[in-house]
């Protein structure tokens, strides 16, 4: 259901104001120190953002996808990592809401809505990223339990998570498990085997996690017995939401890079005039603004399609592809407009330049997005033009 437009505008304005006042002034400091943004996460809890997509009956805000995307944009305008705290959590909540049993929804969603339990989403492995079929993490049935063994890579929020939506192989195929754990470096047979140092996207952890004989009850299979072997199907559906999140994040970073360029182009003078009087800079600003506007419209189009309950793989793929390439381009152009100062830590543009590439890689690389888009387009064409 569409969110009341007034409520949506009010929420977006509140978050925007908070980002301006409490995030932007400290974001680079946190980022350079690679420090977890604890106070900001607490505020995001207070805003209800951990439950932004969770139905009201489970204590969430039940926002439509467009409002959710606008909020992710605002957070990323200040610091992209903040939207990363919420993304895998929201994907996990979406998986449980759409494909979980009644019992699973009642057990997990209320605690996820408040942020009391924070979730991670764990599909990738050291040797399985784009090729999701190649995962090796095993869930062996043993009476009323499954025994988990394997190594998972790139688990964002993995250490602090109290719940992991985990993809593992059962005899039926890829199955999704809702694995509960205590936040921290180890729990039962689960351990954080490595914290991955990153170019950007700092402050929140991305880790390697090892499962060594960790036992979970059968009731943790997402969707119950009917969910066995359906994990890939479930995950691909929820990744559409993840891709809209990434696209919205990219718009936030692109907007920040553009605003920084605009501001600097008024302040910096060369040859006796502000640099925005030079046509070369004006053309850059024009191209940047045009691509930024197109990015916003693509996010809107994907969000609206997803909201209508229609398959949105093509639109989410297009938004993710275009917005992330735009964010990287705008971060680079903004850095060039800043001249030598853009290459220093004096201005946040260096952070945008390091954060932007993640959106090109995460949630399926842009090469994979092109495959998804082309496949979807060809399938639609075939359906509309039966021979
Ligand atoms: C900071 C960060 C956080 C992440 N967080 C999470 C998370 O929370 N949970 C999670 O499950 N995953 C997460 N990921 C993993 C991410 O989704 C993968 O890195 C991504 O899907 C790419 O997989 P890969 O790294 O194995 O690259 P590969 O699949 O090895 O790809 C390498 C290159 O080959 C290209 N390529 C691969 N196959 C094809 C093909 N068929 N045609 C054309 N080109 C191809 C790719 O586009 C890429 O350029 C995260 C990654 C990063 C960097």
């Amino acid at each position: 259901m569409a969110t009341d437009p007034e409520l949506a505008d009010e929420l977006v304005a509140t978050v925007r104001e908070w980002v301006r006042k409490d995030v932007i002034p400290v974001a680079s400091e946190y980022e350079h120190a690679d420090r977890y943004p604890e106070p900001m996460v607490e505020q995001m809890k207070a805003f209800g953002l951990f439950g932004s997509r969770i139905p009201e009956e489970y204590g969430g805000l039940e926002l439509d996808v467009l409002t959710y995307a606008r909020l992710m944009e605002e957070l990323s305008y200040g610091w992209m990592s903040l939207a990363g705290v919420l993304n895998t959590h929201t994907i996990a909540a979406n998986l449980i809401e759409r494909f979980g049993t009644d019992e699973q929804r009642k057990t997990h969603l209320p605690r996820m809505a408040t942020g009391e339990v924070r979730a991670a989403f764990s599909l990738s492995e050291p040797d399985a990223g784009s090729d999701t079929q190649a995962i090796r993490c095993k869930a062996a049935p043993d009476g009323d339990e499954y025994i988990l063994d394997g190594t998972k890579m790139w688990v964002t929020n993995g250490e602090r998570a109290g719940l992991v939506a985990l993809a593992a192989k059962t005899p039926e195929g890829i199955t999704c498990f809702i694995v509960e754990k205590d936040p921290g470096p180890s729990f039962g047979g689960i351990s954080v085997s490595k914290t991955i140092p990153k170019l950007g996207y700092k402050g929140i952890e991305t880790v390697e996690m090892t499962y060594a004989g960790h036992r979970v009850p059968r009731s943790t299979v997402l969707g119950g017995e009917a969910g066995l072997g359906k994990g890939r199907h479930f995950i691909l559906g929820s990744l559409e939401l993840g891709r809209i999140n990434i696209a919205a994040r990219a718009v936030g970073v692109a907007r920040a890079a553009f605003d920084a360029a605009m501001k600097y182009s008024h302040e910096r003078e060369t040859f006796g005039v502000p640099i925005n009087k030079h046509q070369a800079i004006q053309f850059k600003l024009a191209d940047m603004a045009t691509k930024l506007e197109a990015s916003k419209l693509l996010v809107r189009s994907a969000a609206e399609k997803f909201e209508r309950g229609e398959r949105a793989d093509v639109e989410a793929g297009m938004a993710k592809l275009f917005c992330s390439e735009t964010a990287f381009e705008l971060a680079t152009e903004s850095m060039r407009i800043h001249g030598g100062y853009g290459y220093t830590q004096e201005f946040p543009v260096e952070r945008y330049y390091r954060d932007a590439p993640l959106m090109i890689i995460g949630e399926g690389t842009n090469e994979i997005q092109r495959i998804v888009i082309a496949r979807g387009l060809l399938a639609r064409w075939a359906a509309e033009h039966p021979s």
Side-chain angles (χ1 to χ4, degrees):
M1 199 174 62
T3 305
D4 172 54
E6 259 180 51
L7 177 74
D9 287 348
E10 205 176 297
L11 195 52
V12 171
T14 305
V15 170
R16 178 180 288 198
E17 180 54 18
W18 170 67
V19 166
R20 188 188 67 76
K21 212 163 99 309
D22 292 337
V23 176
I24 291 174
V26 294
S28 287
E29 191 188 320
Y30 269 84
E31 206 265 350
H32 291 147
D34 203 1
R35 191 186 320 146
Y36 190 73
E38 201 66 62
M40 300 177 212
V41 171
E42 286 308 308
Q43 185 56 58
M44 294 199 298
K45 275 189 200 169
F47 284 139
L49 297 185
F50 282 87
S52 50
R53 291 279 306 148
I54 294 177
E56 283 179 4
E57 65 171 305
Y58 301 110
L61 296 178
E62 200 172 334
L63 300 176
D64 61 20
V65 185
L66 183 57
T67 310
Y68 170 66
R70 289 174 65 196
L71 291 167
M72 296 307 107
E73 179 189 324
E74 293 306 330
L75 294 175
S76 302
Y77 182 83
W79 185 13
M80 195 269 283
S81 292
L82 295 183
V85 175
L86 298 170
N87 184 33
T88 54
H89 177 89
T90 307
I91 293 176
N94 188 254
L95 279 168
I96 295 170
E97 189 217 328
R98 284 172 75 184
F99 306 113
T101 61
D102 268 356
E103 197 53 39
Q104 289 169 339
R105 280 193 279 269
K106 279 189 209 138
T107 306
H108 300 296
L109 293 180
R111 289 187 301 145
M112 291 174 78
T114 59
E116 177 196 337
V117 169
R118 282 177 250 164
F121 165 73
S122 187
L123 172 65
S124 306
E125 297 185 0
D127 295 314
S130 306
D131 184 2
T132 53
Q133 306 266 30
I135 68 165
R136 287 200 217 135
C137 181
K138 211 171 85 183
D142 185 35
D144 276 349
E145 294 182 321
Y146 276 91
I147 307 172
L148 303 176
D149 280 290
T151 304
K152 286 291 182 182
M153 186 73 173
W154 311 113
V155 195
T156 300
N157 303 308
E159 183 162 336
R160 288 178 176 82
L163 182 155
V164 182
L166 174 82
K169 276 210 161 143
T170 58
E172 298 80 3
I174 295 177
T175 297
C176 212
F177 289 82
I178 309 169
V179 180
E180 290 184 88
K181 70 186 230 342
D182 286 345
S186 69
F187 176 77
I190 309 175
S191 60
V192 171
S193 29
K194 189 164 140 197
T195 299
I196 302 165
K198 293 169 291 189
L199 172 70
Y201 197 37
K202 292 180 192 252
I204 66 169
E205 80 277 13
T206 301
V207 301
E208 180 189 86
M209 280 172 97
T210 302
Y211 293 78
H214 184 74
R215 286 178 174 271
V216 290
R218 271 190 98 85
S219 58
T220 58
V221 171
L222 181 71
E225 296 296 307
L228 287 167
K230 302 251 178 66
R232 201 162 165 272
H233 165 71
F234 293 166
I235 286 165
L236 291 182
S238 286
L239 278 183
E240 288 176 17
L241 185 62
R243 286 173 185 162
I244 294 171
N245 171 300
I246 296 278
R249 270 199 241 181
V251 172
V253 172
R255 215 180 89 207
F258 177 74
D259 284 358
M262 269 301 227
K263 186 166 180 285
Y264 191 77
S265 77
H266 284 82
E267 293 163 0
R268 181 71 177 173
E269 292 195 1
T270 63
F271 303 96
V273 290
I275 57 171
N276 62 25
K277 298 282 181 217
H278 303 306
Q279 197 178 51
I281 300 292
Q282 289 177 359
F283 279 12
K284 280 187 192 295
L285 293 172
D287 285 346
M288 289 163 82
T290 305
K291 288 187 179 168
L292 180 56
E293 190 61 21
S295 297
K296 288 181 189 168
L297 295 173
L298 278 173
V299 171
R300 177 175 285 268
S301 147
E304 286 174 352
K305 186 132 199 220
F306 187 93
E307 193 61 39
R308 288 197 297 271
E310 293 171 32
R311 182 120 201 245
D313 54 344
V314 170
E315 288 72 16
M318 286 174 171
K320 195 269 183 193
L321 168 65
F322 188 85
C323 298
S324 60
E325 297 289 353
T326 297
F328 190 47
E329 191 181 323
L330 263 63
T332 310
E333 288 298 82
S334 185
M335 180 179 285
R336 294 173 72 155
I337 289 173
H338 280 74
Y341 293 101
Y343 199 64
T344 70
Q345 293 191 351
E346 208 172 305
F347 290 88
V349 67
E350 59 85 26
R351 174 159 56 86
Y352 310 146
Y353 182 78
R354 289 182 292 104
D355 277 348
L358 172 67
M359 269 89 70
I360 289 173
I361 297 162
E363 229 67 42
T365 65
N366 280 359
E367 289 74 24
I368 297 299
Q369 298 313 309
R370 287 186 171 93
I371 295 174
V372 170
I373 295 165
R375 199 180 283 154
L377 290 175
L378 291 169
R380 284 182 194 176
W381 180 271
E384 287 162 12
H385 302 84
S387 50

